[in-house]
């Protein structure tokens, strides 16, 4: 079974540029999460979806960040006008509500550097 | 985040020895996950516990929801165990959002 896949693996931007990250969750997983992990810190949730619906985006900087999951499968996280403070690894995770476990599985992440 | 206190922040072990990592939660968690970040930066799932203990090879984890803590024990440490270990608690709110600790950087010394 394929795990969570993400692309690109790395991105380097100048401040003010835009970037999109793409995530393909584990097949059949209905819940998808985007986390931001600054260097030397634990991941922090940005937004998550159940199927195509946004469940919680309260931690997403809404003026520059957006996330969609239009068909309830793949998802895209976009940053408009990136800032140096956005430098971090962006992780995608997925889980399934089936059964009693909500175990999350993570992709390899996209390491973003904003110069 | 501030709901999960992970310790120690860094740990050095000689090959063949062991130690324990700990996470204290400031609120009740439904479950805990433990991960290891490998050399490629990927989070590898080690354990998912809703209660009790689980063991996998040289690793053993325990979770006490009532006392609000979890531990990860490593025995007979090997060089390939080096990496950063994270615990993450699930508060049980809709769909299992995880709250991560800051991580423990483990170095295994020959």
């Amino acid at each position: 079974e394929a795990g969570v896949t993400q692309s690109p693996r790395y991105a380097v931007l100048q401040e003010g540029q835009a970037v999109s990250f793409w995530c393909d969750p584990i097949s059949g997983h209905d819940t998808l999460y985007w986390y931001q992990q600054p260097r030397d810190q634990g991941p922090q949730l940005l937004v998550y979806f159940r199927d195509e619906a946004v469940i919680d985006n309260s931690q997403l900087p809404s003026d520059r960040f957006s996330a969609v999951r239009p068909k309830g499968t793949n998802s895209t996280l976009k940053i408009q006008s990136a800032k140096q403070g956005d430098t971090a690894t962006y992780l995608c995770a997925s889980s399934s509500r089936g059964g009693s476990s909500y175990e999350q599985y993570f992709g390899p992440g996209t390491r973003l550097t904003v110069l | 985040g501030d709901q999960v206190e992970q310790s120690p922040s860094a740990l050095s072990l000689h090959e063949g020895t062991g130690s324990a990592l700990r996470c204290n939660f400031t609120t009740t968690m439904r479950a805990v996950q433990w991960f290891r970040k490998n050399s490629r930066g990927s989070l590898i799932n080690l354990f998912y516990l809703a209660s009790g203990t689980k063991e996998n090879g040289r690793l053993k984890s325990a979770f006490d929801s009532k006392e609000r803590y979890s531990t990860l024990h490593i025995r007979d440490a090997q060089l390939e165990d080096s990496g950063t270990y994270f615990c993450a608690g699930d508060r049980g709110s809709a769909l299992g959002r995880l709250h991560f600790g800051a991580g423990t950087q483990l170095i295994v010394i020959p």
Side-chain angles (χ1 to χ4, degrees):
Chain A
E1 178 183 280
V4 178
T5 57
Q6 291 186 243
S7 65
R9 291 297 312 275
Y10 303 93
V12 180
L13 306 175
Q14 299 289 333
E15 273 200 322
Q17 289 185 306
V19 64
S20 291
F21 310 132
W22 180 84
C23 174
D24 188 4
I26 292 172
S27 178
H29 279 193
D30 56 1
T31 309
L32 185 148
Y33 309 79
W34 284 103
Y35 290 83
Q36 181 191 58
Q37 184 176 19
R39 187 176 176 84
D40 297 330
Q41 296 182 33
Q44 298 167 19
L45 185 74
L46 290 173
V47 58
Y48 69 105
F49 299 83
R50 171 187 165 186
D51 299 317
E52 69 279 5
V54 173
I55 302 301
D56 184 355
N57 62 358
S58 60
Q59 303 305 309
L60 198 63
S62 58
D63 59 333
R64 297 184 299 108
F65 285 63
S66 62
V68 295
R69 194 186 184 199
K71 297 183 179 179
T73 52
N74 301 337
S75 177
T76 303
L77 176 69
K78 185 173 184 179
I79 305 176
Q80 299 271 23
S81 188
K83 297 182 179 180
Q84 287 188 355
D86 299 332
T87 294
T89 297
Y90 291 83
L91 297 166
C92 178
S94 70
S95 68
S96 172
R97 288 182 299 142
S100 60
S101 167
Y102 293 90
E103 186 169 4
Q104 293 186 26
Y105 297 85
F106 283 77
T110 297
R111 186 176 296 181
L112 172 67
T113 302
V114 183
L115 303 174
Chain B
D2 55 2
Q3 299 187 38
V4 184
E5 301 166 352
Q6 187 171 346
S7 63
S9 58
L11 178 64
S12 294
L13 291 176
H14 287 281
E15 270 187 296
T17 64
S19 188
L21 284 57
R22 184 179 177 100
C23 280
N24 292 324
F25 306 110
T26 58
T27 188
T28 300
M29 299 293 180
R30 168 176 66 185
V32 65
Q33 285 191 242
W34 283 92
F35 302 89
R36 182 175 66 86
K37 188 175 181 180
N38 68 11
S39 59
R40 298 182 64 187
S42 296
L43 287 177
I44 307 301
N45 288 41
L46 298 177
F47 294 103
Y48 176 93
L49 295 97
S51 65
T53 62
K54 286 187 178 179
E55 192 165 357
N56 185 1
R58 296 177 291 100
L59 299 178
K60 181 177 180 179
S61 183
F63 174 51
D64 189 325
S65 176
K66 183 178 179 182
E67 298 300 323
R68 299 183 179 179
Y69 77 91
S70 179
T71 57
L72 177 67
H73 292 259
I74 303 172
R75 63 176 176 83
D76 188 24
Q78 303 298 305
L79 295 178
E80 61 264 29
D81 296 332
S82 296
T84 302
Y85 290 76
F86 292 95
C87 67
D90 168 7
R91 286 186 60 185
S93 57
L95 303 180
R97 165 183 178 163
L98 290 177
H99 300 265
F100 279 81
T104 296
Q105 187 173 9
L106 172 65
I107 298 174
V108 180
I109 306 165

